[in-house]
Amino acid sequence: MFTYSLGSLTQMMAMTNYYPENPEEKASMNLAFTIHLQGKLDIPKLERAIDKLTKEKIMHTYLSVEGNQFLAHEKEYVPFKLETEKAEGSSEEEKKATVKAIAEKKALEPLPIFDADKNQFYFRLYELSEEYHILLMIVHHTFLDFGAVMIAIGHIFSYYNDENYIYEKSDEFSSFMKEELDFMASDGAKAEEKFWAEETANVIQPALVPNMLTENDAPLEEKDVMAAFSRKDLDAIAVRERTSTFNLLMLLVHMAIAKVNDCNDTFLQYAISNRSEVNYRFTLGCLTRVLFNRINFDDDMNVSELNKILRKKVGAGYQNRHVAGKTPFGAASYIAVNEDMGDLNVFPSFNGKPLQFDFVDLPRELNFIAFLMLPLDADTIGVGALTDMLKYGKHAKQLIDALNLAQQFITKYPDKTSGDFMRKDITLELLS
């Protein structure tokens, strides 16, 4: 058995399962997905595909704690068996609702990530009909971040489609973690600590204050705090401004925060995958970086100048990426999370069509507003606000409205300035 130490964000994710006594809190970092498989399904072949994934070292690893140190142990591989059951219901819609309810309930059960005798993951197949199945997949963020989940799903269905498929070669997660911990003990870590201390000092941006819904307020739904953008339109702006679509979305978020708070000093955390490093491109594990980004832009800056400062800030943050993970996720009022993993070129398919899967959302008490950037379909990128809707729903709605305004402003008036955008008389209705 090979054992190695954990640290940084990975250890924090493990803590969420280890310390809480409430089962739902212990399950807060479960990542659960329902994968819809329509058409003919070869169940033994799917079982072999999942079995191949579970042979990967990170998939048969469990954790322990010695003193204050969290340890990962690569245990002996055990062949995987896929359990299947028929979904209850008199119609397809009823059966889908049944599976959805089962998935939401199961996702709230803590995974046994500290138990050497159990699997640290969960797969179950539900049969709605001979031509429609739903695969429930639950893993823990300690072992797989969102990028790794996409890679894992890609592995399963690439192997299902072609059993000669070979996984892309990347270094093991244990190597990544050793590099992390070695750096944290170096002088380079001290330099990064100094960078982040200076970058996060004296923030002017107002703190998030609850703005409770009253009986006179209309209840807010998920669609009320979601913006949808054409990927083609965003890509065109990104090309024009010599930036990336992710950077452009980050700028839109900063502009929205500035507009709503009437404050040019904007500060948020953001999560990115570290898979830009070639040797860890397809590594299964929690490689997410949780960084900070702060922009204090002048009123006379146009769109190109705003993009330039954003690129510089993102680049400087990544150059000082290691120690930022020591700060808990949610330490800032606003967070940007990029879940559009298109840059990995991982597009799993089933029966010749793009795979359809849903993220099983868990009820969480959040004291921040997260901007989730995720693909709604092949042509559309969504930016949704995830927060405590009772406390911060009004504010979240204002931010999404300002996000839509920022996108329209950048598209139609790229030569106008930040000061123009911040004017109180500039709204979506009055933009022209």
Side-chain angles (χ1 to χ4, degrees), residues 79-98:
F80 171 79
K81 297 296 181 184
L82 179 60
E83 294 188 33
T84 304
E85 63 181 78
K86 292 184 181 295
E88 295 183 359
S90 57
S91 67
E92 183 178 287
E93 288 304 312
E94 282 188 14
K95 292 177 182 179
K96 286 168 64 176
T98 297

Side-chain angles (χ1 to χ4, degrees), residues 21-207:
E21 295 183 2
N22 183 301
E24 291 188 5
E25 289 183 35
K26 292 177 75 70
S28 64
M29 285 301 134
N30 284 355
L31 298 177
F33 302 83
T34 49
I35 303 171
H36 298 257
L37 306 173
Q38 299 191 52
K40 184 178 179 181
L41 174 66
D42 185 332
I43 295 177
K45 194 175 181 181
L46 178 61
E47 181 180 75
R48 292 196 298 272
I50 300 174
D51 178 63
K52 180 173 173 59
L53 176 71
T54 63
K55 290 178 181 177
E56 294 294 300
K57 292 179 180 179
I58 195 69
M59 299 300 292
H60 52 270
T61 293
Y62 75 97
L63 307 182
S64 69
V65 181
E66 295 182 8
N68 293 322
Q69 180 61 58
F70 282 68
L71 301 174
H73 310 274
E74 294 173 357
K75 59 184 177 180
E76 184 178 351
Y77 153 75
V78 176
F80 171 79
K81 297 296 181 184
L82 179 60
E83 294 188 33
T84 304
E85 63 181 78
K86 292 184 181 295
E88 295 183 359
S90 57
S91 67
E92 183 178 287
E93 288 304 312
E94 282 188 14
K95 292 177 182 179
K96 286 168 64 176
T98 297
V99 175
K100 183 176 185 292
I102 291 172
E104 290 174 346
K105 182 179 179 180
K106 189 65 182 179
L108 289 173
E109 296 179 13
L111 286 168
I113 67 175
F114 290 89
D115 191 334
D117 297 325
K118 295 182 180 179
N119 289 330
Q120 282 66 54
F121 53 82
Y122 181 88
F123 288 91
R124 180 69 62 88
L125 185 67
Y126 296 91
E127 179 185 318
L128 284 68
S129 70
E130 290 185 1
E131 296 289 314
Y132 192 175
H133 296 76
I134 296 178
L135 177 66
L136 173 60
M137 170 183 178
I138 307 175
V139 295
H140 199 272
H141 206 305
T142 301
F143 301 110
L144 300 179
D145 57 18
F146 191 85
V149 167
M150 293 300 297
I151 294 168
I153 293 174
H155 282 338
I156 291 171
F157 288 93
S158 293
Y159 187 80
Y160 177 88
N161 294 330
D162 177 9
E163 291 189 283
N164 292 317
Y165 168 76
I166 298 175
Y167 289 6
E168 295 86 349
K169 179 63 178 175
S170 288
D171 291 348
E172 295 289 347
F173 178 73
S174 56
S175 298
F176 171 81
M177 187 50 60
K178 182 178 186 305
E179 288 184 16
E180 285 283 283
L181 296 178
D182 286 348
F183 182 87
M184 297 301 284
S186 71
D187 289 338
K190 297 176 184 176
E192 288 194 11
E193 294 271 15
K194 182 175 183 295
F195 170 85
W196 288 113
E198 294 172 351
E199 186 69 9
T200 59
N202 304 316
V203 176
I204 300 172
Q205 174 178 281

